[in-house]
């Protein structure tokens, strides 16, 4: 009998719980899984909800069980499994039927799949679902991408099963094709950064201040009642206060200190780079996970380059240190959201989605992993100024950020001095954005390739500085001269040599990125080798405001 309102394909933890959620809200749901055991398991776990579930043993049975035009939700492993599931179902479907991919797809795949199915007369939605198993069962945050008329066919089901924030469903159509999956991707990127920063602050509280897990749990619990109020801070408090029943040790001490980085979290960093949207805390969090996964190498390096942890400078004033860490975490959290929303804003322009960013913030307020009270302020910011350049400029966020931002560089400096937390980078990634004293003009002038050859359009070549003079001054101070005023122009005949030197120095292999990488690697692996984070010996002498800068403008 074809009376199911919707079908769910893929009955692992997410699909099964979404199906139970739908059944609980009164919908009839047809179920199918590639391995039949999972279907049986789902039916066994369904309890009284089983009467609204229709277990199917084949795709043919499934298609026959759903009302036309059909809506079939795929909740299988992201990637090839989605294409394979579509390939199996497509020949069985009628024109106008809709396939809905609710897994963690790469949005580029979603765009491709929608276009291909559209050509075949089938409808498609790409839907991001956040909240894990618990969310799927009791109310996730749902981010939809696709055509409004297709969404219109399932919006009743989606809004019924979505989490509610003060009675408003956390579910919305955010744009066409890949918009929903893109927003879910960035959600997970923010989650990476937020979790990483929480981990770093935990590390400093534990090793820098010598607090026990339970004491740190109390600190997080206190913080969760203030502006840091969020699911992740809340759950951290709970985890830290939990004892492992098997060993009797704090649970945190029996968790393996290694995390993977794949799929959505990594794609956030990749898409940010592709869009030219700075996302240093998200990227750093992805990298930190990569470092954490190199367990054997970490062990080898820490044995080869041992270094003792140093207590935080502020350890003598525990309460002041805790307050500083709270502020740093708050600033970092604001910046992680700021990065995430800036990436979405750039993508919205690039792909023509017109992402409703206030709505994105609103549907993240319940059900999803990064739910937090900050999202109310973020929603208001985008309501007031939809094209705001940076969230930290929003009237609702500026005072909070200003109050906290100063703590971030202080904590980062402490973390690097402290040693063992040196490998953790997300707070450090966020720190530059917290410095309101960003130099203007900045050092980017030296990143532009100076043109010292004559340029007919621009007039005569700038004169290189006299080489020996530069060398002397650099040797004496260890740093480039502060201004160009005391430098003599080169003598005729030396210009060619000097030009080569500039080229060599400025185009050479050891660019600033490599220096940064070296510092990170060393601080990661060799707590004792912290001095490597000191400014690298200057390799080119003129400061930004002198000749080469002028030459590049
Ligand atoms: P999963 O472990 O990602 O995937 C397992 C499911 O995919 C099983 O039903 C499996 O069927 C099916 N599958 C794998 N390869 C297949 C293929 N080639 N053809 C057909 N089916 C195939 O399951 P999950 O954790 O429930 O996640 C489902 C989706 O939701 C994923 O995209 C995931 O990234 C996303 N998601 C997960 C969470 C979470 O907390 N787990 C949260 C949000 C989003 P068999 O039983 O036959 O192997």
């Amino acid at each position: 009998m074809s009376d199911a309102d919707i079908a769910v394909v893929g009955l692992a933890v997410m699909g099964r719980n979404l199906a139970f959620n739908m059944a609980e809200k009164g919908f009839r749901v047809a179920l199918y899984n590639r391995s039949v055991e999972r279907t049986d398991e789902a039916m066994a776990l369904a309890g009284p909800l089983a009467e609204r579930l229709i277990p199917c043993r084949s795709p043919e049975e499934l298609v026959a069980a759903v009302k036309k035009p059909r809506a079939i939700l795929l909740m299988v492993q992201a990637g090839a499994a989605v294409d394979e599931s579509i390939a199996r179902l497509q020949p069985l479907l009628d024109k106008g039927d809709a396939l809905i991919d609710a897994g963690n797809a790469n949005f580029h795949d979603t765009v491709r799949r929608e276009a291909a199915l559209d050509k075949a007369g089938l409808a498609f939605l790409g839907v991001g679902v956040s909240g894990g198993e618990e969310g799927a069962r009791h109310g996730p945050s749902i981010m939809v991408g696709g055509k409004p008329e297709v969404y219109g066919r399932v919006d009743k089901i989606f809004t019924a099963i979505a989490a509610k924030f003060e009675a408003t469903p956390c579910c919305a159509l955010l744009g066409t094709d890949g918009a929903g999956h893109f927003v879910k991707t960035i959600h997970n990127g923010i989650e990476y950064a937020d979790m990483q920063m929480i981990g770093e602050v935990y590390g400093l509280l534990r090793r820098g201040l010598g607090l026990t897990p339970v004491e740190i749990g109390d600190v997080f619990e206190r913080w969760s009642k203030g502006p840091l109020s969020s699911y992740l801070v809340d759950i951290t408090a709970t985890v830290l206060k939990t004892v492992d029943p098997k060993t009797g040790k704090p649970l945190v001490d029996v968790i393996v200190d290694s995390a993977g980085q794949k799929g959505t979290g990594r794609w956030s960093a990749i898409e940010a780079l592709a869009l030219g949207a700075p996302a240093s805390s998200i990227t750093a969090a992805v990298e930190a996970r990569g470092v954490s996964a190199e367990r054997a190498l970490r062990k080898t390096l820490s044995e080869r380059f041992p270094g003792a942890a140093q207590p935080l400078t502020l350890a003598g004033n525990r309460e002041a240190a805790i307050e500083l860490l709270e502020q740093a975490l708050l600033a970092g959290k604001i910046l992680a959201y700021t990065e995430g929303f800036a990436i979405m804003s750039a993508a919205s322009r690039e792909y023509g989605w017109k992402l409703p960013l206030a709505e994105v913030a609103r549907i993240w307020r319940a059900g999803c992993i990064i739910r937090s009270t900050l999202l109310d302020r973020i929603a208001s910011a985008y309501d007031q100024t939809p094209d705001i350049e940076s969230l930290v400029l929003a009237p609702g966020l500026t005072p909070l950020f200003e109050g906290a931002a100063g703590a971030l560089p202080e904590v980062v400096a402490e973390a690097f001095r402290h040693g063992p937390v040196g490998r953790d980078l997300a707070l450090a990634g966020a720190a530059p954005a917290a410095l309101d004293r960003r130099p203007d003009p900045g050092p980017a002038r030296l990143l532009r390739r100076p043109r010292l050859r004559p340029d007919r359009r621009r007039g005569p070549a700038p004169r290189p500085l006299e080489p020996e003079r530069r060398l002397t001054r650099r040797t004496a101070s260890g740093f480039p001269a502060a201004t160009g005023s005391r430098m003599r122009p080169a003598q005729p005949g030396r210009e060619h040599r000097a030009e080569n030197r500039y080229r060599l120095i400025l185009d050479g292999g050891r660019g600033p990125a490599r220096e940064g990488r070296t510092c990170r690697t060393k601080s990661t692996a060799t707590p004792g080798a912290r001095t490597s984070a000191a400014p690298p010996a200057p390799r080119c002498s003129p400061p930004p405001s002198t000749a080469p800068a002028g030459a590049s403008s």
Side-chain angles (χ1 to χ4, degrees), residues 10-15 33-35 38 75-78 81 84-85 102-104 129 132-133 184:
L11 301 174
V13 65
M14 291 298 287
N33 192 79
R34 180 182 60 171
S35 343
R38 275 207 213 265
M75 206 54 179
V76 297
Q77 206 168 46
E84 285 172 33
S85 302
N104 277 341
V129 174
E133 176 179 356
K184 174 68 199 304

Side-chain angles (χ1 to χ4, degrees), residues 9-18 32-39 74-86 88 101-105 127-134 136 181 184 188 262 264 369:
V9 173
L11 301 174
V13 65
M14 291 298 287
R16 182 179 72 218
N17 282 295
L18 272 184
Y32 171 74
N33 192 79
R34 180 182 60 171
S35 343
V36 81
E37 301 78 44
R38 275 207 213 265
T39 312
L74 307 176
M75 206 54 179
V76 297
Q77 206 168 46
V82 178
D83 288 316
E84 285 172 33
S85 302
I86 292 174
R88 284 225 60 193
D101 177 12
N104 277 341
V127 178
V129 174
S130 174
E133 176 179 356
E134 196 59 19
H181 278 142
K184 174 68 199 304
N188 287 17
K262 61 179 174 84
T264 42
I369 305 289

Side-chain angles (χ1 to χ4, degrees), residues 48-397:
L49 296 174
E51 67 184 35
R52 292 197 205 105
L53 300 174
I54 307 163
C56 303
R57 309 252 142 198
S58 66
E60 289 76 8
E61 231 183 275
L62 180 90
V63 167
V66 192
K67 279 183 210 161
K68 292 183 187 177
R70 302 177 182 92
I72 299 179
L73 184 140
L74 307 176
M75 206 54 179
V76 297
Q77 206 168 46
V82 178
D83 288 316
E84 285 172 33
S85 302
I86 292 174
R88 284 225 60 193
L89 289 163
Q90 192 174 342
L92 310 173
L93 299 177
D94 296 316
K95 291 227 180 299
D97 286 349
L99 287 168
I100 301 159
D101 177 12
N104 277 341
N106 185 310
F107 85 101
H108 294 292
D109 286 337
T110 306
V111 172
R112 167 179 61 78
R113 288 172 185 140
E114 204 226 22
L117 289 168
D118 192 47
K119 264 193 191 160
L122 295 172
F124 189 72
L125 292 177
V127 178
V129 174
S130 174
E133 176 179 356
E134 196 59 19
R137 177 66 185 87
H138 299 292
S141 170
I142 304 178
M143 297 145 255
V144 186
K147 295 192 176 78
E149 61 274 22
V150 184
Y151 178 57
R153 284 162 45 188
V154 286
D155 68 337
K156 274 201 182 71
I157 301 178
F158 282 13
T159 50
I161 64 167
K164 308 289 179 299
F165 182 85
E166 293 169 359
T168 306
C170 292
C171 170
L173 176 68
L174 301 174
T176 53
D177 50 53
H181 278 142
F182 188 88
V183 171
K184 174 68 199 304
T185 294
I186 301 306
H187 167 283
N188 287 17
I190 297 171
E191 179 186 330
Y192 265 36
D194 202 350
M195 289 177 80
Q196 176 64 25
M197 290 192 253
I198 287 173
E200 291 166 18
V201 167
Y202 155 77
L204 289 166
L205 287 165
R206 183 95 188 253
R207 301 214 208 153
L209 292 184
L211 268 59
T212 65
V214 173
E215 286 172 331
I216 302 171
D218 288 336
V219 168
F220 273 90
E221 197 172 285
R222 207 168 70 219
W223 290 352
S224 76
K225 296 183 173 62
L228 275 171
S229 164
S230 58
Y231 169 74
L232 284 172
V233 168
D234 222 30
I235 192 85
T236 304
T238 307
V239 168
L240 289 169
K241 291 166 100 173
T242 302
V243 172
D244 174 46
K246 263 198 202 149
T247 59
K249 290 182 181 171
L251 181 64
V252 67
D253 287 354
V254 297
I255 298 175
V256 178
D257 67 337
S258 166
Q261 54 85 30
K262 61 179 174 84
T264 42
R266 179 167 56 196
W267 297 334
S268 296
I270 292 171
E271 295 306 329
L273 278 173
L275 290 161
S280 48
S281 72
I282 293 175
T283 308
V286 174
E287 289 193 1
R289 283 177 175 234
V291 171
S292 81
E294 295 179 323
R295 292 192 78 213
L297 177 61
R298 281 198 280 127
K299 188 167 180 301
T300 308
L301 291 174
S302 61
E303 283 161 6
R304 173 66 184 81
F305 306 105
Q310 293 175 3
L312 296 190
T313 316
L314 277 166
N317 188 346
R318 190 185 268 204
E319 276 315 305
I322 290 174
E323 199 180 317
L324 193 73
L325 287 166
E326 179 185 15
Q327 293 304 311
L329 186 56
L330 178 59
K333 201 180 185 72
I334 294 172
L335 288 166
Y337 281 113
T338 302
E339 281 179 12
F341 277 84
I343 303 168
M344 289 189 285
S345 182
S348 185
R349 284 192 299 274
E350 179 73 17
Y351 300 108
W353 284 327
K354 297 194 172 76
L355 289 177
L357 295 177
E359 190 64 2
V360 170
R362 273 193 284 270
I363 65 170
W364 284 354
R365 290 179 303 176
C368 75
I369 305 289
I370 61 168
R371 57 189 185 261
S372 88
T373 48
L374 276 180
L375 286 160
D376 263 332
R377 294 174 190 251
I378 295 174
S380 307
Y382 281 108
D383 275 335
Q384 282 163 25
T385 319
D387 58 351
I388 193 160
E389 255 185 293
S390 166
L391 269 178
V392 297
L393 298 174
L397 281 152

